[in-house]
Amino acid sequence: MEQIVRILDIHNVTHNVKQFIVEKPDGFTFTPGQATELSINQPAWENQKNPFTFTCLTGEHFLEFTIKIYSDHPGVTNHLGELEVGDELILREAWGAIEYKGPGYFIAGGAGITPFIAILRNLHQQGAIGDNKLFFSNKTDQDIILADELKSMLGENALFTITNQKDSVHDQRRINEDFLKAEIKDFSKHFYVCGPDPMVQEITGILEKLGAKADALVFEK
Ligand SMILES: Cc1cc2nc3c(=O)[nH]c(=O)nc-3n(C[C@H](O)[C@H](O)[C@H](O)COP(=O)(O)OP(=O)(O)OC[C@H]3O[C@@H](n4cnc5c(N)ncnc54)[C@H](O)[C@@H]3O)c2cc1C
């Protein structure tokens, strides 16, 4: 099912990530962590379907997407970055790769944080964030999506690691075996992993070796 929705607001979240607030059709539902295939409702773009994750609370009267813009080639996100309020997208049904199954560890790289934004916001709203822990890896401090909000929801349980900035104010360890052995106290909890393919492959391999069952989602191309 396809529905045309108007963009209501666009704002920058980081230097290369934008949030798009769009109309929510009556009766449209999704589960936190789910994505949809979006298209831009313009000739030449309407058949290009790319997956993006809902990042808003399920109860909002709008939908929100948090999208990393690749402006180095004329793909879909580059064109999304050129859109304006009032432009239209084609929305399709929500489908799920990841959902909250219980307390545990969220491990994200870059724009792989988006399903966790939806899950953590909804848990926070329900007062159910508990002792869930987030490890969020980025290249530089300025790449961290919604750093302040993640800190305010999770406090000390949000740990940012920065891999390519020597003067970062954050932890500078890579999320590797030593990191996971040091930081994970309970391997029987849930593990949610989302980010670029090589990162997800590496981390899920280590987690399995250490005795965990990872609910992995390979995310960025
Ligand atoms: C289930 C799911 C949910 C997702 N949710 C989100 C989300 O919420 N937010 C989000 O930001 N992303 C999300 N993604 C990833 C998103 O779908 C892709 O980043 C997006 O579709 C890329 O589209 P594109 O046409 O702009 O880039 P593509 O052409 O697909 O290129 C993507 C990558 O390849 C490189 N590349 C490709 N061709 C060239 C070229 N000619 N020159 C230079 N570089 C090139 C780009 O730099 C970039 O690294 C999700 C993916 C999945 C599978």
Side-chain angles (χ1 to χ4, degrees):
M1 185 190 50
E2 296 188 346
Q3 283 168 291
I4 294 172
V5 288
R6 251 178 340 121
I7 299 175
L8 304 174
D9 192 26
I10 303 172
H11 48 270
N12 290 311
V13 181
T14 71
H15 61 105
N16 61 3
V17 175
K18 288 190 174 194
Q19 261 173 357
F20 297 81
I21 307 293
V22 307
E23 289 173 326
K24 182 179 187 176
D26 284 346
F28 188 91
T29 57
F30 67 94
T31 305
Q34 281 189 319
T36 186
E37 290 197 325
L38 278 186
S39 303
I40 298 164
N41 190 30
Q42 292 176 359
W45 294 99
E46 59 200 2
N47 293 321
Q48 292 208 37
K49 304 173 187 175
N50 288 40
F52 296 102
T53 308
F54 303 98
T55 51
C56 47
L57 292 167
T58 51
E60 294 288 10
H61 57 282
F62 54 81
L63 297 173
E64 179 194 271
F65 297 95
T66 304
I67 297 180
K68 181 170 173 184
I69 308 295
Y70 294 98
S71 51
D72 53 357
H73 68 286
V76 167
T77 61
N78 179 59
H79 193 44
L80 280 168
E82 296 168 342
L83 296 184
E84 293 175 0
V85 170
D87 286 336
E88 293 174 344
L89 302 177
I90 302 171
L91 175 75
R92 298 179 181 83
E93 65 274 9
W95 48 273
I98 201 164
E99 65 177 320
Y100 187 65
K101 294 179 183 161
Y105 297 89
F106 292 82
I107 303 173
I113 192 71
T114 55
F116 304 158
I117 292 171
I119 290 171
L120 293 169
R121 279 179 169 172
N122 278 276
L123 287 174
H124 184 248
Q125 189 200 36
Q126 294 158 14
I129 208 146
D131 59 358
N132 278 297
K133 213 160 176 166
L134 171 69
F135 306 131
F136 187 16
S137 181
N138 284 277
K139 290 195 178 110
T140 70
D141 293 353
Q142 59 161 2
D143 295 326
I144 306 174
I145 296 171
L146 299 179
D148 292 346
E149 185 180 342
L150 291 167
K151 272 281 172 205
S152 80
M153 288 193 293
L154 289 154
E156 291 300 303
N157 284 335
L159 195 162
F160 302 141
T161 74
I162 296 297
T163 55
N164 198 16
Q165 181 187 339
K166 292 226 157 47
D167 62 353
S168 167
V169 296
H170 299 293
D171 198 307
Q172 299 202 21
R173 289 173 293 167
R174 263 176 57 77
I175 302 183
N176 55 19
E177 186 164 343
D178 287 345
F179 178 100
L180 294 168
K181 277 184 183 160
E183 293 295 333
I184 289 166
K185 308 284 174 263
D186 183 355
F187 281 92
S188 70
K189 287 194 165 180
H190 291 275
F191 288 87
Y192 308 95
V193 187
C194 189
D197 195 2
M199 174 186 174
V200 173
Q201 301 297 326
E202 184 183 339
I203 290 175
T204 53
I206 297 167
L207 288 172
E208 276 159 18
K209 183 178 146 197
L210 296 175
K213 284 206 177 82
D215 301 307
L217 173 60
V218 180
F219 183 91
E220 286 183 339
K221 289 181 197 164

